[in-house]
Each structure stands twice: as structure tokens, then as C-alpha cells.
Amino acid sequence: MKIVVDTNIFVSGWLWGGIPARLFRLARTHQLIICASEAILAELENTLNKQKLQAKLQSLGFTVNGLMSGTRELVQVYPISTIDVPELRDANDNMILGTAIAADADVIVTGDLDLLVLQEYEGIPIVTAREFLERYFPEN
């Protein structure tokens, strides 16, 4: 199963663990494939470099470079085409949808309400991490 994980899921999983981190464990054990694009990885790096996250990174002994290396090892990167979904409030969310199309993903996992309100895009369900695990990996 191939999924696209939004930046907020990466940040949450890496820095706070919990349900989003369970997706990473499933990817490490080859139960699913996390698909990304260079655009998603760039947004993740920019987000991790924000001042408000520096104390959390330090408390965990993490560096942005270390987390980005770990992320690159965890994901398969796909080249994406620019798409425009006018109903999206945040144009940056187009990269999530574009990655899902490029990767032929089965599901988009996000905590972003602007994406969740769509419920699906081009037949690809858009769900929270909790919904994803309950629906596809109830035993995990």
C-alpha cells in the first residue's frame, strides 16, 4: 500500500511520536510505502527549521539534517507535475495532491483540515492518521 504523508504528519511523528510515528514503523517493516516529492521534503525541512521547533528538537537530541536523512531513508520520492485544485484554500496543498497522483497512491494521510474537507481526490481517500490506522491496520 502506498500513502502520501503530509508535512504535519512527519513533524508530529518525528517530534511527538504517537499515532503518526506508527506510520513510520509500518514503513520500516515494509507494510506500507510512504511516498513523497522534493516539494514535500523541502516544506518539511523549512518547517523543522522554524524557531518554534528548535527547543523540541534539542530536547530529543535531533538535528534537522538527521531528521531529513531519516525521512529520505523512509520514503520513496516521486517527481510531480504542478496541479491546481481551486477549491484548496492553501495552494501549498497542491503538492500533496500532485504527489499522490504521481505516486499512484492509495491514500493521503494528513492532519490538515483544508485537505481533509475534500475527503478524496481523484479517487484517493484523504484521512487522518488515526482513521488510516483504524481502516487499514486495525491490529496496529
Side-chain angles (χ1 to χ4, degrees), residues 4-20:
V4 172
V5 175
D6 199 352
T7 302
N8 56 59
I9 299 294
F10 279 118
V11 171
S12 205
W14 285 132
L15 301 186
W16 283 275
I19 291 171

Side-chain angles (χ1 to χ4, degrees), residues 29-80:
T29 58
H30 308 287
Q31 295 178 65
L32 60 79
I33 298 167
I34 298 176
C35 307
S37 60
E38 290 299 335
I40 291 173
L41 295 174
E43 182 182 62
L44 175 59
E45 186 169 14
N46 287 338
T47 301
L48 290 171
N49 275 306
K50 288 186 177 181
Q51 187 60 42
K52 67 182 181 181
L53 295 178
Q54 297 315 298
K56 184 65 175 176
L57 284 164
Q58 287 178 346
S59 75
L60 295 169
F62 291 161
T63 65
V64 173
N65 286 342
L67 286 179
M68 291 307 301
S69 292
T71 301
R72 285 191 176 277
E73 290 173 7
L74 195 63
V75 303
Q76 285 187 9
V77 178
Y78 291 82
I80 61 172

Side-chain angles (χ1 to χ4, degrees), residues 103-116:
D104 194 25
D106 298 298
V107 181
I108 297 168
V109 181
T110 184
D112 186 334
L113 294 176
D114 290 331
L115 284 168
L116 288 168

